[in-house]
Amino acid sequence: MAAAAARSALLKHLRLTAAFPASPRRAAPLFFAQVLLRRRGFSTDEARGTFLDKSEVADRVITVVKNFQKVDPSKVTPNAHFQKDFGLDSLDTVEIVMALEEEFGFEIPDNEADKIDSINVAVDFIASHPQAK
């Protein structure tokens, strides 16, 4: 009996209102994203407005890479790979990632930084990160 009362009291405080999109296939991911954002203290409107435009991110990433002293600016393209196209080693790649962190104002976790090996990957990661400025 006490368990049922505790459950009922707990459920009163955990209820969320949700509006589902018309398509059931798209409803579940959107719904769960909204729930996770609310649990972390964001409204969906706040989270929706925090991502940078991908073309702006691409321009800024290309500028950072062009300004890296070991890179020939004439070889920089959106599809360029740091090691294959520029001949950079892993330490140089770390320096580029650090320059990107400085440019966009957030810290890239080590496990994600290890995956950034080209301009396209950097653009995709930064454009999808809510803390990028």
Side-chain angles (χ1 to χ4, degrees):
M1 189 71 151
R7 180 178 180 270
S8 176
L10 183 63
L11 287 176
K12 285 181 185 178
H13 295 287
L14 293 178
R15 290 200 174 116
L16 296 173
T17 57
F20 290 101
S23 170
R25 286 187 172 169
R26 294 186 181 145
L30 179 61
F31 172 73
F32 289 115
Q34 289 173 345
V35 170
L36 289 174
L37 289 170
R38 285 188 182 127
R39 284 186 183 168
R40 292 185 178 150
F42 294 104
S43 74
T44 39
D45 292 333
E46 289 172 331
R48 195 177 298 133
T50 58
F51 297 102
L52 297 176
D53 179 57
K54 199 167 184 175
S55 63
E56 176 192 343
V57 172
D59 292 341
R60 290 170 63 188
V61 168
I62 287 172
T63 301
V64 167
V65 173
K66 280 183 177 181
N67 290 331
F68 190 69
Q69 46 186 282
K70 295 183 179 180
V71 171
D72 178 4
S74 65
K75 293 183 179 180
V76 178
T77 65
N79 297 322
H81 190 274
F82 297 147
Q83 291 178 347
K84 285 191 284 185
D85 297 324
F86 305 134
L88 302 178
D89 60 20
S90 59
L91 183 58
D92 295 329
T93 302
V94 169
E95 289 179 27
I96 288 178
V97 170
M98 289 172 59
L100 292 172
E101 289 176 333
E102 197 170 311
E103 171 68 22
F104 290 96
F106 75 102
E107 186 175 333
I108 299 173
D110 291 340
N111 62 335
E112 295 297 329
D114 292 341
K115 298 174 189 174
I116 297 175
D117 61 354
S118 68
I119 291 177
N120 279 338
V121 173
V123 169
D124 289 343
F125 178 76
I126 293 168
S128 67
H129 201 284
Q131 292 179 342
K133 298 175 188 161

